[in-house]
Amino acid sequence: MAVDTSPRSTTWTHVDGEWLPGNPPLIGPTSHAMWLGSTVFDGARWFDGIAPDLGLHCQRINRSALAMGLKPVKSAEEIAALAWEGVAKFDGATAIYIKPMYWGEHGAPGSVVSVDADSTRFALCLFEAPMGGHGGTSLTVSPYRRPSPETAMTEAKTGSLYPNSGRMIAEARSRGFDNALVRDLNGNVVETASSNVFMVKDGVVMTPAANRTFLAGITRARVIGLLRQAGFDVHEATLSVEDFMQADEIFTTGNYSKVVGVTRLDDRNLQEGPVTRKALELYMDWAHGRSESEE
């Protein structure tokens, strides 16, 4: 039986100058992206009439493309304008995920493994995706690790990194947890399998230092800045699993769900604490207080 390839929510994709509904067939079996993984993407959010940090996400997709050896064919401003055009196609009742993408269609002359930058293609996909994270999340320490820049394309937001995240989540869920706390090759905590992570101890907020093994996210940077502006002591530091086991609070940040409290880490139960609630409040107040045009 053929697999149903229709999307699971209302979806519009802009490609080659037109908007197409559903899940248009864009990548064939000879495409470099399908065969050898030359894909990069980014993700912004629209909700409540706003798209926080949309411009920064559109800038990052172009940086990811260059890191992958692709050639950006749209400016960040053009991508953002297309995103707002796409948002207008929805009824506004449900939050939207905004996903710009680049991929390579052919291998470079003389080496099929390396991508031909001149074959770069672009698409912008928007789909309905309710905001998640309500009620908190549970974490377990993953047996799998994040690669270093010497071993993987860690400086791009590329699809080729996500199978590793997928197996982390699958392994965690097989043991009754929602997600995984992930270490680098040196054994230091860097993030979860799908988001950045913070901890609070004695009122001090800490998050793993950006060491190029993980994506130090746009929402992460926004939350750090907002907490500091509100008077919190926030440090980027080298952190161990034991540091997190002794934390008073743990929360995650990411574009998909913004700020989410952690209610369990392995055999330790936690509460969604005051700093976690304040981080979410500060983020939402900032997001609703400034339009994209004012950034």
Side-chain angles (χ1 to χ4, degrees):
M1 180 183 295
V3 174
D4 181 5
T5 62
S6 59
R8 295 179 177 178
S9 65
T10 301
T11 302
W12 285 91
T13 299
H14 187 275
V15 63
D16 297 335
E18 62 179 331
W19 286 100
L20 302 173
N23 185 28
L26 299 180
I27 298 178
T30 68
S31 171
H32 191 275
M34 182 173 184
W35 187 17
L36 295 168
S38 55
T39 66
V40 295
F41 73 98
D42 217 288
R45 273 296 213 170
W46 176 94
F47 58 94
D48 297 342
I50 56 176
D53 282 327
L54 174 60
L56 296 182
H57 288 281
C58 295
Q59 292 169 27
R60 189 172 65 182
I61 181 65
N62 282 354
R63 294 197 301 272
S64 289
L66 292 170
M68 177 60 74
L70 300 168
K71 182 185 294 184
V73 298
K74 299 282 187 186
S75 70
E77 293 76 14
E78 288 172 324
I79 298 170
L82 280 173
W84 283 113
E85 187 178 307
V87 165
K89 294 183 173 294
F90 295 79
D91 63 14
T94 305
I96 299 169
Y97 193 82
I98 301 170
K99 183 175 63 172
M101 297 172 285
Y102 287 111
W103 70 96
E105 193 60 36
H106 301 295
S111 175
V112 70
V113 173
S114 181
V115 68
D116 182 357
D118 289 331
S119 74
T120 300
R121 297 187 68 193
F122 170 82
L124 175 64
C125 180
L126 285 74
F127 58 90
E128 290 183 341
M131 301 292 285
H134 304 295
T137 190
S138 60
L139 300 177
T140 182
V141 178
S142 179
Y144 305 120
R145 304 289 182 96
R146 280 284 183 235
S148 69
E150 297 83 5
T151 61
M153 191 75 69
T154 59
E155 294 182 337
K157 189 172 175 68
T158 169
S160 61
L161 292 174
Y162 279 78
N164 192 36
S165 295
R167 69 171 182 165
M168 291 171 181
I169 292 173
E171 193 277 336
R173 291 186 174 179
S174 74
R175 295 191 284 113
F177 296 87
D178 298 319
N179 208 323
L181 191 68
V182 180
R183 295 163 290 174
D184 61 18
L185 295 179
N186 292 321
N188 300 310
V189 172
V190 287
E191 60 174 353
T192 78
S194 59
S195 56
N196 295 133
V197 67
F198 289 72
M199 56 165 281
V200 184
K201 183 67 176 178
D202 298 329
V204 177
V205 184
M206 289 174 278
T207 191
N211 63 2
R212 299 174 61 214
T213 69
F214 69 99
L215 191 70
I218 291 168
T219 305
R220 170 187 180 273
R222 182 65 66 187
V223 168
I224 289 173
L226 291 170
L227 285 171
R228 284 175 174 164
Q229 289 173 20
F232 287 88
D233 191 7
V234 184
H235 296 277
E236 298 181 72
T238 299
L239 299 170
S240 67
V241 170
E242 185 60 27
D243 289 328
F244 278 85
M245 288 296 185
Q246 295 178 2
D248 300 323
E249 299 178 47
I250 302 173
F251 63 90
T252 68
T253 64
N255 175 62
Y256 208 89
S257 299
K258 302 309 180 186
V259 180
V260 177
V262 173
T263 55
R264 182 163 61 114
L265 174 58
D266 280 332
D267 59 358
R268 206 188 146 203
N269 293 319
L270 299 102
Q271 299 294 320
E272 184 182 86
V275 179
T276 302
R277 292 192 293 272
K278 188 63 175 179
L280 179 58
E281 176 188 337
L282 288 168
Y283 181 88
M284 288 302 179
D285 284 349
W286 167 81
H288 287 90
R290 294 178 61 193
S291 68
E292 182 67 20
S293 62
E294 294 171 332
E295 292 182 5

